[in-house]
Amino acid sequence: MPEQPPRMPQDEAHTAAVQGLFLQFQPAVRGYVLSMIPDFSLADDVMQEIFIVVTRKAASFEIGTSFPAWVKTIARFKALEAIRAGRSRCETLSEEVLQALGAERSEFHGDTDERLALLAACVQELAPQARRSIDLRYKQDHLPPEIAGLMGCTVQSVNVTLSRARSFLRECVLRKMDAAKP
């Protein structure tokens, strides 16, 4: 007779389910945190803190209710806590503005993976210098002055390149989303 795997206690199964929801919405949560704190390193630290809170409070979350709204509240408080502590090396909006924006009832989009796939395809359509600038800024977390040093150009040139690349990527993703509509 085959041996059955040990059953997970119900509390642990519930916590694992909530952690699974966190992983599902992690890109959207990270994007939300980055909208409040434009500092990739600090955003990663805040994401870890959010995961700890989500795990610790998992028992208070009822499966079937709105996980995005629940985790967005936790993310907003953890991001504001980091800003109040002065941990950001970047300028942020005032706390009052961030509170007002965070109080908006919108939830995270469920089609995040689709948009990420479209974004990845659009990044491949960028000119080589623009693609390298985007990679250095958003994958390797370099600031524009560092990118200028690495690429042998001025900071202003990097800022212009990044601005044009972001515009191109935004238009490209929207064009591809429109093309995919029935």
Side-chain angles (χ1 to χ4, degrees):
M1 180 173 203
E3 210 174 291
Q4 292 188 354
R7 294 189 63 186
M8 195 182 286
Q10 194 166 1
D11 289 347
E12 289 180 30
H14 180 79
T15 298
V18 173
Q19 290 172 333
L21 286 170
F22 179 80
L23 294 177
Q24 179 184 340
F25 286 94
Q26 184 176 8
V29 175
R30 188 167 193 272
Y32 178 70
V33 170
L34 280 169
S35 74
M36 296 178 71
I37 305 170
D39 178 332
F40 291 98
S41 296
L42 181 55
D44 288 341
D45 292 346
V46 170
M47 287 297 292
Q48 290 177 11
E49 293 170 12
I50 294 167
F51 182 76
I52 290 169
V53 172
V54 164
T55 300
R56 194 176 57 234
K57 294 187 170 205
S60 69
F61 179 74
E62 186 176 327
I63 299 290
T65 60
S66 178
F67 182 80
W70 186 70
V71 75
K72 182 180 177 184
T73 301
I74 293 170
R76 184 175 70 241
F77 284 120
K78 295 308 286 182
L80 288 172
E81 186 179 289
I83 291 168
R84 281 187 207 117
R87 293 167 49 197
S88 179
R89 62 182 176 154
C90 300
E91 290 286 325
T92 61
L93 297 173
S94 71
E95 187 172 332
E96 294 80 23
V97 171
L98 292 172
Q99 287 278 9
L101 293 172
E104 187 178 314
R105 296 187 58 126
S106 66
E107 292 187 358
F108 299 127
H109 295 284
D111 58 350
T112 302
D113 288 341
E114 177 189 343
R115 289 191 292 165
L116 286 176
L118 294 175
L119 178 61
C122 290
V123 167
Q124 296 306 312
E125 295 179 20
L126 285 170
Q129 184 173 354
R131 188 170 43 243
R132 184 166 181 232
S133 297
I134 290 289
D135 182 65
L136 289 169
R137 179 68 185 107
Y138 298 108
K139 286 186 178 173
Q140 299 181 33
D141 197 20
H142 289 289
L143 295 173
E146 298 167 335
I147 296 170
L150 291 168
M151 295 181 67
C153 56
T154 66
V155 174
Q156 183 179 4
S157 171
V158 169
N159 287 332
V160 168
T161 300
L162 287 171
S163 177
R164 288 180 181 164
R166 286 190 296 263
S167 292
F168 172 83
L169 293 172
R170 181 176 35 256
E171 291 170 13
C172 179
V173 168
L174 290 174
R175 184 172 16 92
K176 289 181 183 285
M177 288 175 71
D178 285 343
K181 287 182 181 174

